Amino acid sequence: MASNSVEISEMDDVRSMYIDTNTIQSSMKVKAPYDLVLAYSRGMIGCLLFKDNIQETLMIGLGGGSVAKYIWKFCPDIKQTVVEINPQVINISRTLFDVPDDDARFTVIEGDGIAYLKDLVKAAPDALPEVLMIDAFDGVGIPPDFCTQRFFDDCAAALKHEGIFVINLWGSDKKFDIYWSRIANSFNDQVLKLPTGKPGNIIVFGFKGAHQPLTLAKLMARAKDLESHNQIDFLKYVETLFDRNPHTNKQLLT
């Protein structure tokens, strides 16, 4: 059952959401609601480095909707579906965090994200997303059902060929290495990590099937293009990806 303990605070023009904890789940600048306040949310947008012309994403976990509404505002060619189990979170995100109403390219579904993934693969195998984002923290951390080998296998199955998996994890989690190993197993070792702070959150990317070579030159060019119309330090992300992941001949995932 979804938790109903959702609390809101506001200080210095920043409104934050908490769910069963003192840890901030999501934050928004009241006067600039589409800015990405938290470092991890900017890191999740880092998936734009790896694939041009993304058309459809699926996100499990809405929270305050920072990532979802950023994509809605600044990536108008992307169609999004967001699955959130807690109806109170959905209501608060729309009334207090400026998450838009459903429209032709944005849909929020109240439901169990794990069940949704399984049903999607069975019912609509030809309509799978290109990007799957997981941001499903509760008051304790990432729920156990969202870090099993079976779950990560289901995530891989729910993506199109050449799809990208994105998950937000805590770098200080004692089981991080276990989760990393499971994700690597589901995605045939085609995985990258992007730390967003010290210790902070770590964004993990998994790549399904064949993919275009992730060379330093290509990623730097893509980062410069993205920075021309996004207030996110994509160039720094490229540097961090090469610093924190194995690479040879200036190429990731060789």
Side-chain angles (χ1 to χ4, degrees):
M1 180 179 296
S3 166
N4 290 321
S5 181
V6 181
E7 298 183 3
I8 307 299
S9 71
E10 190 168 321
M11 181 179 297
D12 298 329
D13 190 49
V14 175
R15 184 175 297 159
S16 298
M17 177 185 289
Y18 306 78
I19 303 176
D20 287 336
T21 181
N22 292 325
T23 301
I24 294 174
Q25 300 286 328
S26 187
S27 290
M28 177 190 76
K29 292 181 182 178
V30 177
K31 295 180 181 178
Y34 296 103
D35 287 3
L36 293 173
V37 177
L38 301 181
Y40 93 85
S41 61
R42 297 192 294 275
M44 294 191 77
I45 297 295
C47 66
L48 298 180
L49 281 166
F50 308 119
K51 193 175 183 67
D52 298 338
N53 303 317
I54 294 170
Q55 296 182 345
E56 189 163 1
T57 67
L58 171 62
M59 175 177 287
I60 307 300
L62 176 64
S66 299
V67 173
K69 68 185 181 185
Y70 183 91
I71 293 173
W72 180 85
K73 178 71 172 179
F74 298 108
C75 304
D77 293 330
I78 295 178
K79 181 180 179 181
Q80 295 184 83
T81 300
V82 183
V83 182
E84 169 57 54
I85 197 170
N86 191 332
Q88 188 181 15
V89 167
I90 296 173
N91 180 59
I92 290 175
S93 72
R94 284 187 152 145
T95 56
L96 296 178
F97 287 86
D98 286 23
V99 169
D101 293 332
D102 288 0
D103 59 23
R105 58 186 182 85
F106 182 72
T107 304
V108 177
I109 296 172
E110 180 188 333
D112 184 315
I114 294 175
Y116 185 90
L117 286 178
K118 291 179 180 293
D119 291 343
L120 181 65
V121 173
K122 293 178 182 179
D126 296 326
L128 302 178
E130 295 164 273
V131 176
L132 171 60
M133 296 182 172
I134 308 296
D135 188 16
F137 280 85
D138 59 19
V140 178
I142 186 168
D145 288 346
F146 280 85
C147 47
T148 66
Q149 187 66 68
R150 175 175 292 182
F151 173 71
F152 295 131
D153 288 347
D154 287 344
C155 288
L159 277 166
K160 286 185 184 297
H161 186 67
E162 298 186 8
I164 302 171
F165 171 74
V166 187
I167 188 168
N168 172 34
L169 298 175
W170 270 338
S172 58
D173 192 321
K174 294 180 180 179
K175 294 184 177 180
F176 177 86
D177 289 341
I178 295 175
Y179 303 156
W180 169 263
S181 179
R182 291 172 181 170
I183 297 168
N185 186 60
S186 296
F187 289 91
N188 297 314
D189 293 323
Q190 299 296 289
V191 289
L192 297 171
K193 65 182 71 173
L194 176 65
T196 62
K198 295 182 179 180
N201 299 68
I202 296 177
I203 308 304
V204 176
F205 303 102
F207 300 83
K208 181 178 179 178
H211 56 83
Q212 296 295 317
L214 300 179
T215 64
L216 178 59
K218 180 178 179 179
L219 289 173
M220 291 292 281
R222 175 67 173 157
K224 290 177 182 178
D225 179 61
L226 288 168
E227 286 193 5
S228 69
H229 50 275
N230 291 274
Q231 294 182 340
I232 297 175
D233 194 352
F234 287 100
L235 286 168
K236 180 62 176 179
Y237 289 164
V238 174
E239 294 176 5
T240 302
L241 286 165
F242 274 86
D243 181 58
R244 297 299 298 271
N245 295 277
H247 61 278
T248 58
N249 298 323
K250 298 184 178 180
Q251 179 176 322
L252 296 167
L253 301 181
T254 56

